Amino acid sequence: MSTLLAGVRRLDDLSPADVRVLVRSDLNVPLRNGEVVDELRITASVPTLARLLDLGARVIVASHVGRPSAYGDPATSIAPIAARLGDHLAARVHVAGDVVGPDAQSRVASLGAGEVLVLENLRWEAGETAGDAAFAAELADLCDVYVNDAFGASHRAHASISGVPRLRPAYAGDLLFAEIDALGRLLDDPPRPYAAVLGGAKVSDKLVVLENLLSRVDVLAVGGAMAYTFLVAEGYDVGASRFERDQVHHVGVLVREARARGVEVLLPDDAVVAPDFDEHAPATVCSVSEIPADHVGLDIGPKTAARYASAIADAASVFWNGPMGVFEWASFSHGTRTVAEAIAACAGFTVVGGGDSAAAVRAFGLDTKIDHVSTGGGASLELLEGKVLPGIAALRQQPA
């Protein structure tokens, strides 16, 4: 078990029969016209809820959804998500019309053992994101026990994450425990060689985790649009490819320091480029030293993808966050797919750090072949940055 979980109580320590248990879940899934588009976080939340129900708890589920424009914003109602949750639970699932108001209070009072009540969108209440103590107390009044199962929100010091567990006996749900345990293995003493694969749009989004990883990994492979900032730092002309000019010097220093410590830094030597950032633009493979001035790089090239796959195959630990290109477009998906397939085939301990990388492995049907696919992109990165997540800290500082 990861040392990050020291002092954190888990569900094995809880006897919830006929107890009101407030479960902070992460049901923040994309909605389109009131329909759930991707239910990964819903299905990931089910095991903890099902376990509590089997033990006879009265389960109250709280989650945020999107970024509401105002209280009662119908586009961010949790109702369609609660309906989908009900499809996965062998229990009655009720939905409150508010968060801590009269309807929620009335429904909690009448909730039976083995039943579920889903509160409306936490972010309808301004006190949630403000970490307001009074709002946290109102949430705590609804329950006897608190369970945090929302890893994807545990890097936020919001009322439901860091406030309630200081007011009620608090426990880590099974999903939260699994997330911290898996990612903690990459911090504590990972099997070596340890390879990290980073991609995505911006170096600036991953700068702190990059600095922390470069002091821990044996191999770093860089893809996505952020790779062009690295290439510019190495002296390449990347044509019309996107890069962050203000990060070039910092990246160059980081790479030199990493190589001096013996870290193998892998950068693209070929790329898939196009004249426009468009799904249907003609794709061409070229060396990174020969990118046309009017072309933009949209994927790592096949030679680079094969080189990264070889490094992954030799690794005993792998962490991946960020696609290698615009994988949603078929012409620019090869690099991301090759990396995903290599990680799925790797015999070592493999972790995909949420966000677009998690979406990619699911799209390619490879998620079941990876040791851990995180539900929290930002939370997983902050954990690997070495930060103490507010949600984990609050579980350690709680009533007996």
Side-chain angles (χ1 to χ4, degrees):
M1 184 178 75
S2 170
T3 56
L4 294 173
L5 290 161
V8 174
R9 293 184 293 194
R10 57 187 303 188
L11 295 187
D12 292 345
D13 305 315
L14 175 62
S15 299
D18 202 30
V19 170
R20 300 174 304 163
V21 181
L22 177 66
V23 182
R24 182 33 164 116
S25 297
D26 183 6
L27 304 178
N28 184 30
V29 299
L31 297 169
R32 185 180 300 127
N33 299 322
E35 297 291 331
V36 173
V37 176
D38 182 347
E39 62 175 21
L40 170 67
R41 288 179 171 171
I42 297 174
T43 56
S45 299
V46 166
T48 290
L49 301 177
R51 182 176 178 183
L52 290 168
L53 291 169
D54 288 344
L55 293 171
R58 289 179 279 165
V59 177
I60 304 150
V61 179
S63 177
H64 72 283
V65 181
R67 299 181 183 275
S69 58
Y71 190 100
D73 175 11
T76 59
S77 172
I78 207 165
I81 298 170
R84 187 66 67 88
L85 180 65
D87 293 339
H88 293 282
L89 288 171
R92 293 188 64 188
V93 176
H94 311 272
V95 185
D98 51 28
V99 185
V100 292
D103 192 49
Q105 295 171 25
S106 173
R107 289 178 181 275
V108 167
S110 62
L111 194 65
E115 292 186 347
V116 179
L117 172 66
V118 180
L119 303 177
E120 253 300 355
N121 188 349
L122 285 168
R123 287 189 179 171
W124 282 9
E125 296 277 0
E128 165 65 359
T129 54
D132 182 67
F135 177 61
E138 289 183 280
L139 284 171
D141 285 343
L142 299 176
C143 69
D144 306 299
V145 169
Y146 170 86
V147 172
N148 184 351
D149 208 36
F151 174 71
S154 287
H155 60 315
R156 306 296 187 199
H158 292 172
S160 67
I161 294 293
S162 59
V164 181
R166 293 189 169 95
L167 301 172
R168 292 291 182 270
Y171 299 80
D174 290 341
L175 174 61
L176 181 72
F177 192 92
E179 291 269 19
I180 301 298
D181 191 44
L183 289 159
R185 288 174 62 181
L186 297 178
L187 285 170
D188 294 339
D189 187 19
R192 295 191 177 278
Y194 174 14
V197 183
L198 292 184
K202 294 181 178 180
V203 173
S204 53
D205 289 343
K206 296 185 170 77
L207 197 57
V208 180
V209 74
L210 178 65
E211 291 172 340
N212 198 41
L213 283 172
L214 283 173
S215 68
R216 296 175 181 272
V217 301
D218 303 295
V219 179
L220 173 71
V222 182
M226 63 183 281
Y228 296 99
T229 302
F230 281 78
L231 289 170
V232 171
E234 296 278 284
Y236 288 93
D237 182 341
V238 297
S241 303
R242 299 175 181 179
F243 70 96
E244 293 175 274
R245 191 176 302 279
D246 61 340
Q247 298 296 332
V248 169
H249 175 73
H250 195 170
V251 164
V253 171
L254 282 178
V255 170
R256 287 193 295 274
E257 291 177 350
R259 287 172 174 157
R261 289 196 301 267
V263 178
E264 185 179 7
V265 180
L266 303 179
L267 301 177
D269 45 27
D270 63 340
V272 183
V273 302
D276 301 293
F277 188 85
D278 185 275
E279 180 177 4
H280 305 293
T284 305
V285 177
C286 67
S287 165
V288 294
S289 62
E290 298 175 344
I291 298 175
D294 59 350
H295 278 52
V296 57
L298 298 178
D299 192 14
I300 58 173
K303 290 181 181 178
T304 301
R307 191 158 51 96
Y308 288 9
S310 177
I312 291 165
D314 293 337
S317 302
V318 181
F319 173 72
W320 177 32
N321 183 277
M324 299 292 98
V326 190
F327 74 93
E328 300 90 344
W329 298 345
S331 297
F332 310 103
S333 64
H334 177 266
T336 303
R337 180 184 288 274
T338 299
V339 164
E341 289 173 345
I343 293 172
C346 178
F349 177 62
T350 54
V351 176
V352 173
D356 288 337
S357 307
V361 295
R362 294 198 309 279
F364 300 144
L366 298 170
D367 49 315
T368 60
K369 298 180 180 180
I370 291 164
D371 291 315
H372 185 76
V373 179
S374 180
T375 58
S380 66
L381 288 178
E382 290 201 13
L383 194 72
L384 292 181
E385 286 172 11
K387 292 182 178 179
V388 176
L389 303 189
I392 307 307
L395 291 178
R396 297 193 186 107
Q397 304 165 14
Q398 45 156 352

